[in-house]
Amino acid sequence: PFTMALAGVRVIELAGLAPAPFCGMILADFGAKVIRVDRTKVAVSMDTQARGKRSVAINLKTSEGIALLRKLCVQSDVVLEPYRKGVMEKLGLGPQELLKENPRLIYARLTGYGQSGSYATAAGHDINFLAMSGLLSRLGRSGEKPCAPLNLLADFAGGGLICALGIVLALLDRTKSGKGQIIDASMVEGAAYVGSFVWKSRSIGMWDRSRGQNMLDSGAPFYDTYQTSDGKYMAVGAIEPQFYRQLLKG
């Protein structure tokens, strides 16, 4: 019978907004047993990415609640936490404490600015992280202000997806080393990494012009969107000469 790649992997996901739930959903989609830990006084869960997960509400303002969460974490393979630097340490549930009890634990920290540096304790959202990565400056049409593509690049691509990759790599490494590790996933660094192609392609003439004046950012007529006669829009991606000729012929 077919076995999912992450079957048998136990994950504790501390409830958060978009990036961490997406990361947890990816792990659950590939067979991991994911338990989301909610706060006790939240009327409605904001997790629209709860597919395949179980959930439990724990009051972390009580010593009993903290002890229960500690037990769940120590008995798991992965802990996924989205809080700003220092929150888990204040609860006595930081990575150093938990790894002492379970040296095979993979402790994934998914935050905007990472665990070090002057912004480590700062609040922010996708658009802030995207701006700090430098990538936002390249997004938008010529002569217009930079425009963030929803909250996809930092929250999901540079955040949840990159963190999931880090967890899977740590699980792979554990098969050789027998040891867990701490993953410091920064959405600023993740977004910058996802945008590597933009910066590295400047040397070959693909992104060497200003925003909105390059081949793939609406600077070329053969790679853009156009309004149609019915008031809707169509996307054109006719980069190759033969396809562009066909486009002009109609």
mmCIF file of all heavy atoms in Angstrom, residues 3 29-30 55-56 88 91 99 119 125 128 132 138 148 155 158 176 184 211 220 248:
data_model
loop_
_atom_site.group_PDB
_atom_site.id
_atom_site.type_symbol
_atom_site.label_atom_id
_atom_site.label_comp_id
_atom_site.label_asym_id
_atom_site.label_seq_id
_atom_site.Cartn_x
_atom_site.Cartn_y
_atom_site.Cartn_z
ATOM 1 N N THR A 3 2.345 4.722 1.003
ATOM 2 C CA THR A 3 2.564 5.445 2.253
ATOM 3 C C THR A 3 3.022 6.861 1.938
ATOM 4 O O THR A 3 3.936 7.067 1.140
ATOM 5 C CB THR A 3 3.638 4.742 3.117
ATOM 6 O OG1 THR A 3 3.217 3.408 3.367
ATOM 7 C CG2 THR A 3 3.803 5.469 4.442
ATOM 8 N N ASP A 29 -0.478 17.580 4.322
ATOM 9 C CA ASP A 29 -0.807 17.075 2.983
ATOM 10 C C ASP A 29 0.081 15.910 2.578
ATOM 11 O O ASP A 29 -0.325 15.066 1.778
ATOM 12 C CB ASP A 29 -0.672 18.194 1.944
ATOM 13 C CG ASP A 29 -1.856 19.156 1.956
ATOM 14 O OD1 ASP A 29 -2.888 18.826 2.566
ATOM 15 O OD2 ASP A 29 -1.748 20.241 1.350
ATOM 16 N N PHE A 30 1.292 15.873 3.116
ATOM 17 C CA PHE A 30 2.215 14.795 2.770
ATOM 18 C C PHE A 30 2.323 13.750 3.878
ATOM 19 O O PHE A 30 3.293 12.995 3.935
ATOM 20 C CB PHE A 30 3.583 15.369 2.379
ATOM 21 C CG PHE A 30 3.551 16.056 1.045
ATOM 22 C CD1 PHE A 30 3.254 17.402 0.945
ATOM 23 C CD2 PHE A 30 3.748 15.340 -0.127
ATOM 24 C CE1 PHE A 30 3.173 18.036 -0.288
ATOM 25 C CE2 PHE A 30 3.683 15.956 -1.367
ATOM 26 C CZ PHE A 30 3.390 17.310 -1.449
ATOM 27 N N SER A 55 -6.818 19.678 16.249
ATOM 28 C CA SER A 55 -6.548 20.867 17.045
ATOM 29 C C SER A 55 -6.905 20.629 18.502
ATOM 30 O O SER A 55 -7.755 19.790 18.827
ATOM 31 C CB SER A 55 -7.340 22.073 16.510
ATOM 32 O OG SER A 55 -8.724 21.874 16.673
ATOM 33 N N VAL A 56 -6.224 21.386 19.372
ATOM 34 C CA VAL A 56 -6.493 21.331 20.802
ATOM 35 C C VAL A 56 -6.298 22.745 21.352
ATOM 36 O O VAL A 56 -5.396 23.469 20.915
ATOM 37 C CB VAL A 56 -5.553 20.327 21.516
ATOM 38 C CG1 VAL A 56 -4.101 20.705 21.320
ATOM 39 C CG2 VAL A 56 -5.887 20.235 23.000
ATOM 40 N N MET A 88 8.330 32.222 23.351
ATOM 41 C CA MET A 88 8.397 30.826 23.819
ATOM 42 C C MET A 88 9.368 30.683 24.989
ATOM 43 O O MET A 88 9.147 29.878 25.901
ATOM 44 C CB MET A 88 8.797 29.902 22.668
ATOM 45 C CG MET A 88 7.730 29.780 21.588
ATOM 46 S SD MET A 88 6.214 28.954 22.150
ATOM 47 C CE MET A 88 6.695 27.224 22.019
ATOM 48 N N LEU A 91 7.801 31.369 28.288
ATOM 49 C CA LEU A 91 6.968 30.263 28.755
ATOM 50 C C LEU A 91 7.813 29.080 29.238
ATOM 51 O O LEU A 91 7.273 28.093 29.747
ATOM 52 C CB LEU A 91 6.047 29.785 27.624
ATOM 53 C CG LEU A 91 4.983 30.779 27.120
ATOM 54 C CD1 LEU A 91 4.290 30.225 25.885
ATOM 55 C CD2 LEU A 91 3.973 31.075 28.213
ATOM 56 N N LEU A 99 15.004 20.931 23.448
ATOM 57 C CA LEU A 99 15.994 20.033 22.835
ATOM 58 C C LEU A 99 16.793 19.261 23.883
ATOM 59 O O LEU A 99 17.330 18.190 23.595
ATOM 60 C CB LEU A 99 16.927 20.833 21.915
ATOM 61 C CG LEU A 99 16.350 21.136 20.521
ATOM 62 C CD1 LEU A 99 17.115 22.250 19.838
ATOM 63 C CD2 LEU A 99 16.361 19.882 19.655
ATOM 64 N N TYR A 119 15.726 44.049 14.099
ATOM 65 C CA TYR A 119 14.289 43.949 13.824
ATOM 66 C C TYR A 119 13.665 42.684 14.397
ATOM 67 O O TYR A 119 12.474 42.439 14.197
ATOM 68 C CB TYR A 119 14.039 43.988 12.307
ATOM 69 C CG TYR A 119 14.184 45.351 11.688
ATOM 70 C CD1 TYR A 119 15.421 45.794 11.233
ATOM 71 C CD2 TYR A 119 13.093 46.205 11.555
ATOM 72 C CE1 TYR A 119 15.571 47.049 10.667
ATOM 73 C CE2 TYR A 119 13.224 47.463 10.984
ATOM 74 C CZ TYR A 119 14.464 47.876 10.536
ATOM 75 O OH TYR A 119 14.610 49.125 9.978
ATOM 76 N N HIS A 125 4.014 42.813 8.587
ATOM 77 C CA HIS A 125 3.188 41.963 7.736
ATOM 78 C C HIS A 125 3.909 41.736 6.413
ATOM 79 O O HIS A 125 4.970 42.308 6.158
ATOM 80 C CB HIS A 125 1.820 42.605 7.501
ATOM 81 C CG HIS A 125 0.945 42.600 8.712
ATOM 82 N ND1 HIS A 125 0.358 41.458 9.196
ATOM 83 C CD2 HIS A 125 0.567 43.599 9.558
ATOM 84 C CE1 HIS A 125 -0.355 41.741 10.278
ATOM 85 N NE2 HIS A 125 -0.230 43.036 10.526
ATOM 86 N N ASN A 128 5.573 44.563 4.555
ATOM 87 C CA ASN A 128 6.772 45.093 5.221
ATOM 88 C C ASN A 128 7.972 44.198 4.964
ATOM 89 O O ASN A 128 9.074 44.682 4.668
ATOM 90 C CB ASN A 128 6.537 45.213 6.723
ATOM 91 C CG ASN A 128 5.243 45.940 7.064
ATOM 92 O OD1 ASN A 128 4.355 45.361 7.673
ATOM 93 N ND2 ASN A 128 5.121 47.189 6.671
ATOM 94 N N MET A 132 11.443 45.064 2.910
ATOM 95 C CA MET A 132 12.766 44.903 3.505
ATOM 96 C C MET A 132 13.648 43.951 2.695
ATOM 97 O O MET A 132 14.873 44.079 2.696
ATOM 98 C CB MET A 132 12.643 44.395 4.940
ATOM 99 C CG MET A 132 12.095 45.432 5.910
ATOM 100 S SD MET A 132 13.218 46.828 6.146
ATOM 101 C CE MET A 132 14.510 46.038 7.107
ATOM 102 N N ARG A 138 10.933 46.054 -7.142
ATOM 103 C CA ARG A 138 10.952 45.585 -8.531
ATOM 104 C C ARG A 138 9.568 45.232 -9.059
ATOM 105 O O ARG A 138 9.434 44.832 -10.219
ATOM 106 C CB ARG A 138 11.857 44.341 -8.637
ATOM 107 C CG ARG A 138 13.249 44.501 -8.070
ATOM 108 C CD ARG A 138 14.022 45.604 -8.771
ATOM 109 N NE ARG A 138 14.240 45.303 -10.172
ATOM 110 C CZ ARG A 138 14.667 46.175 -11.080
ATOM 111 N NH1 ARG A 138 14.904 47.411 -10.725
ATOM 112 N NH2 ARG A 138 14.846 45.814 -12.333
ATOM 113 N N ALA A 148 2.465 45.210 -4.159
ATOM 114 C CA ALA A 148 2.660 43.860 -3.627
ATOM 115 C C ALA A 148 1.623 42.911 -4.224
ATOM 116 O O ALA A 148 0.436 43.230 -4.264
ATOM 117 C CB ALA A 148 2.535 43.865 -2.107
ATOM 118 N N ASP A 155 4.715 35.942 2.950
ATOM 119 C CA ASP A 155 3.974 35.032 3.820
ATOM 120 C C ASP A 155 4.058 33.583 3.354
ATOM 121 O O ASP A 155 4.393 32.693 4.138
ATOM 122 C CB ASP A 155 2.491 35.436 3.873
ATOM 123 C CG ASP A 155 2.213 36.532 4.892
ATOM 124 O OD1 ASP A 155 3.157 36.977 5.566
ATOM 125 O OD2 ASP A 155 1.048 36.943 5.003
ATOM 126 N N GLY A 158 8.085 32.842 0.599
ATOM 127 C CA GLY A 158 9.296 33.033 1.401
ATOM 128 C C GLY A 158 9.147 32.609 2.845
ATOM 129 O O GLY A 158 10.141 32.441 3.546
ATOM 130 N N LYS A 176 20.582 10.869 9.290
ATOM 131 C CA LYS A 176 22.026 10.624 9.268
ATOM 132 C C LYS A 176 22.697 10.965 10.592
ATOM 133 O O LYS A 176 23.548 10.224 11.069
ATOM 134 C CB LYS A 176 22.666 11.437 8.130
ATOM 135 C CG LYS A 176 22.201 11.024 6.741
ATOM 136 C CD LYS A 176 22.779 11.902 5.654
ATOM 137 C CE LYS A 176 22.078 13.245 5.571
ATOM 138 N NZ LYS A 176 22.514 14.052 4.412
ATOM 139 N N ASP A 184 15.602 28.667 11.793
ATOM 140 C CA ASP A 184 15.296 30.095 11.914
ATOM 141 C C ASP A 184 14.845 30.582 10.543
ATOM 142 O O ASP A 184 15.661 30.941 9.697
ATOM 143 C CB ASP A 184 16.539 30.847 12.396
ATOM 144 C CG ASP A 184 16.307 32.349 12.545
ATOM 145 O OD1 ASP A 184 15.159 32.795 12.351
ATOM 146 O OD2 ASP A 184 17.278 33.066 12.846
ATOM 147 N N ARG A 211 11.839 49.524 -12.783
ATOM 148 C CA ARG A 211 10.607 48.772 -12.555
ATOM 149 C C ARG A 211 9.598 49.021 -13.685
ATOM 150 O O ARG A 211 9.348 50.145 -14.080
ATOM 151 C CB ARG A 211 9.999 49.189 -11.214
ATOM 152 C CG ARG A 211 8.700 48.508 -10.850
ATOM 153 C CD ARG A 211 8.196 48.884 -9.468
ATOM 154 N NE ARG A 211 7.860 50.301 -9.346
ATOM 155 C CZ ARG A 211 8.547 51.183 -8.653
ATOM 156 N NH1 ARG A 211 9.627 50.825 -7.989
ATOM 157 N NH2 ARG A 211 8.174 52.452 -8.603
ATOM 158 N N ALA A 220 7.403 44.744 -21.907
ATOM 159 C CA ALA A 220 7.372 44.243 -23.288
ATOM 160 C C ALA A 220 5.919 43.988 -23.706
ATOM 161 O O ALA A 220 5.128 43.478 -22.906
ATOM 162 C CB ALA A 220 8.184 42.953 -23.398
ATOM 163 N N LEU A 248 0.396 38.572 -33.459
ATOM 164 C CA LEU A 248 0.140 39.740 -34.311
ATOM 165 C C LEU A 248 -0.817 39.425 -35.463
ATOM 166 O O LEU A 248 -1.622 40.258 -35.868
ATOM 167 C CB LEU A 248 1.466 40.284 -34.857
ATOM 168 C CG LEU A 248 2.448 40.832 -33.822
ATOM 169 C CD1 LEU A 248 3.715 41.344 -34.499
ATOM 170 C CD2 LEU A 248 1.810 41.943 -32.992
#
